[in-house]
Amino acid sequence: MAKGLSDRQRQILRILEASNMELSGQELHKLSCELGQSMGLATVYRNLRVLQQAGRVRCRHLPSGELLYSPLERDVHHLTCLECGTSQPLTSCPVEQQGLKLPTPEGFEPLFHTLEVFGYCAKCKPK
C-alpha cells in the first residue's frame, strides 16, 4: 500500500481512504484518537505535509483558511461560495475531461492538480 511511509503516515492515509469526504487536520486528529491510535495535532499536520509533498495526499484551501485533505486518487473539484462558504463538488474533472496538457518547464514533474472555482451561490448572489 504505502511503501516508504512511516506508520503514522500510513495511519493518516487509511483514515483518508476510509472516509467518503475530505477531512481537516482536526478531524483526522479526532478520528485517530477515536481509533485508539492518537497522535498530536502538530504531528498530524507535519505528516500531512510530508504526504502532500510525496504526492500521496491532495489539499484544498477553503475561503475561511481551513485546509481539507483527501487521497490523491480522489480527483474531486469544487465550486465554493465566497459568502457562505458552501462547496459543491463538480461531477467530473474539467481538466481531465478536456484532455488539457499543462505547459511545464523541462524537468518539472506534475504529481496532481486542484481546481477551485470561487463565486456566489444562488442564495448569496448579489442582486
Side-chain angles (χ1 to χ4, degrees), residues 22 52 55-61 70-78 90 92-102 104 108-116:
E22 300 167 304
Q52 188 179 5
R56 303 298 301 262
V57 167
R58 66 177 68 238
C59 175
R60 183 164 73 96
H61 298 253
S70 63
L72 186 65
E73 298 78 24
R74 196 174 303 148
D75 190 21
V76 178
H77 305 290
H78 297 82
L90 296 172
S92 63
C93 173
V95 174
E96 303 273 330
Q97 191 176 31
Q98 298 296 319
L100 299 177
K101 300 290 182 207
L102 295 174
T104 57
F108 183 84
E109 182 183 342
L111 296 175
F112 62 92
H113 67 272
T114 60
L115 174 64
E116 300 175 67

Side-chain angles (χ1 to χ4, degrees), residues 11 15-16 19 23-38:
Q11 176 186 342
I15 294 170
L16 286 171
S19 175
L23 298 172
S24 69
Q26 291 88 351
E27 290 168 324
L28 280 161
H29 176 257
K30 181 181 177 203
L31 287 169
S32 72
C33 290
E34 289 173 3
L35 293 170
Q37 304 167 343
S38 66

